[in-house]
Amino acid sequence: MLEPEASVSRRLLVIGANEYVLRSAQGLPLEIVLLTSVDRLDRAASALASVSVIGKSLNDPAIVRIASQLHGHEPFDGLVSFTEDGLEIAAMIRERLGLHGTPPLVTAVLRDKGRMREILGDSPLSAQWRLIQDAEDAECFLSELDGPAVIKPLRGSGSKAVVAVDQSNSETQIANILATANGPVLMEERVFGRELSIETMSYAGSHHVLLVVDKDMGDSFRPKGHVAPAELDDEARCRVTTAVCDFLDLVGLRDGPAHTEVVLTDTGVKVIESHDRPAGGWVTELIRLCTGIDMYEVALAAASGLVRWPRRGVSEQAHVGALVYFGAEPGVIESISGVGDALSDQHVHGVLFDKDVGDIHMNLEDEERVGGVLASGSTSSEARNTALAAVQRLRVHVRD
């Protein structure tokens, strides 16, 4: 449990949060006002907020007006969003209301991979890249690279719609991608090495690395799971953490959480993408297991001015943890069994669900998962094997 430095209750506007996020605020002296939308309505989350206001969508301009009216009636001490489509609107409202936090320009840069690359310029942190308008652009860039490349949307997260191309298969793939894209796409050299994510919390320009996570990529761009802390020697860990802190300085992020994905190559650290929010995919539970830190709790506390960094009052733990995802055949989920068996191992700390009974599971291009298993061990291999064994005990029953 975090021990706040301020004892006076604070009033915090949170945009688009779910129940999982808001439960992290339960031990804090916070009055939460939740501003969400019809398409994101979470009744359990609404029950955890003092006031819940519903808009048409998080992109509805009316949300700015509603937030301004609420602030005028009773001022907020802070404003935050941790959902991808709420980050920019939250930054814009914060600036309009004169509240402290990441400015709109920084959030916009992190959400647009092309703008992020422009900011990096000729920094060694950046891979070679180009904005692609048509097939001719793509073929020209590929010939310059003399190697494989990756095409991805300018905006997006979770490695969705990321496609590998090379000289042998580029023509058809590029034509298909450009035919469905609304504007230019990003093409960059495909870098090979150790894929890591670095979870940080910043305050007044001072960046604190909470955890370095090793991504289990399998044979796709979507992780099959994660282990942490990543097994790196001191020199490699220093290179990675220094590179990420330098990157956050370059893009101008000074406050709040960040989730930054990098590849540690033979020639250095390359930044793939970054977001001014905690990681998704239950990685925050892995952070909690490995460090004792509830990242949402400290981010909510920092946004409202309750606590400063370096952190205080957070218990220190030294677990080695693994998070392994599991899926199912496409269809409607009818039942999920074996959870009790999975949790019977004392080293299994949770079975976490993205889908529930009655939900439709698409399993398209490996972009959807049903959930994940969180486990610990004396080594990363032991933790991962424990999680894999627990996954084998689970049964997700679907119907067409």
Side-chain angles (χ1 to χ4, degrees), residues 134-384:
D134 52 39
E136 184 178 349
D137 288 343
E139 293 297 336
C140 180
F141 183 59
L142 270 177
S143 65
E144 291 176 11
L145 280 182
D146 192 28
V150 171
I151 296 180
K152 59 182 68 173
L154 289 177
R155 297 166 70 89
S157 61
S159 299
K160 293 181 179 179
V162 176
V163 179
V165 295
D166 56 31
Q167 293 284 4
S168 65
N169 67 359
S170 62
E171 186 173 346
T172 301
Q173 284 189 306
I174 291 169
N176 291 337
I177 292 167
L178 292 173
T180 57
N182 296 317
V185 295
L186 181 73
M187 180 179 274
E188 61 188 13
E189 67 172 313
R190 186 172 185 183
V191 292
F192 296 93
R194 189 89 169 267
E195 299 202 31
L196 307 164
S197 73
I198 293 78
E199 316 305 327
T200 56
M201 188 71 193
S202 301
Y203 181 81
S206 178
H207 310 300
H208 304 269
V209 176
L210 306 186
L211 192 64
V212 179
V213 179
D214 215 335
K215 300 169 70 175
D216 179 8
M217 299 304 298
D219 56 359
S220 75
F221 290 105
R222 299 272 290 170
K224 306 298 183 186
H226 309 269
V227 294
E231 293 181 346
L232 299 169
D233 60 38
D234 290 344
E235 189 271 338
R237 184 175 300 276
C238 182
R239 287 167 62 197
V240 168
T241 56
T242 299
V244 169
C245 292
D246 289 346
F247 166 80
L248 296 176
D249 285 339
L250 280 171
V251 297
L253 190 142
R254 294 178 52 80
D255 295 282
H259 163 70
T260 305
E261 299 178 15
V262 307
V263 176
L264 177 59
T265 75
D266 292 338
T267 59
V269 179
K270 302 295 183 183
V271 175
I272 303 303
E273 61 182 61
S274 185
H275 307 271
D276 55 332
R277 56 164 174 78
W282 300 110
V283 172
T284 48
E285 285 300 307
L286 185 61
I287 296 170
R288 189 202 304 262
L289 174 66
C290 295
T291 68
I293 298 171
D294 181 335
M295 198 163 182
Y296 284 117
E297 182 186 42
V298 295
L300 290 165
S304 56
L306 284 173
V307 68
R308 298 188 177 195
W309 284 80
R311 65 189 188 277
R312 298 180 185 175
V314 178
S315 61
E316 295 291 344
Q317 298 181 19
H319 283 112
V320 175
L323 176 64
V324 172
Y325 298 128
F326 61 91
E329 293 299 316
V332 178
I333 298 176
E334 286 196 319
S335 64
I336 300 172
S337 60
V339 175
D341 287 341
L343 292 171
S344 63
D345 188 322
Q346 63 177 337
H347 298 294
V348 174
H349 299 266
V351 178
L352 312 163
F353 289 100
D354 297 290
K355 299 280 186 178
D356 204 348
V357 172
D359 289 343
I360 298 174
H361 179 62
M362 301 297 291
N363 200 30
L364 294 176
E365 299 177 357
D366 218 17
E367 288 190 0
E368 286 200 326
R369 55 181 169 254
V370 175
V373 169
L374 185 69
S376 63
S378 57
T379 65
S380 58
S381 295
E382 183 180 291
R384 184 175 182 273

Side-chain angles (χ1 to χ4, degrees), residues 115-136:
R115 293 180 68 178
M116 185 197 81
R117 296 288 181 214
E118 289 174 354
I119 292 290
L120 290 181
D122 58 359
S123 166
L125 297 175
S126 179
Q128 297 182 67
W129 66 281
R130 185 167 299 171
L131 292 184
I132 302 300
Q133 299 277 2
D134 52 39
E136 184 178 349

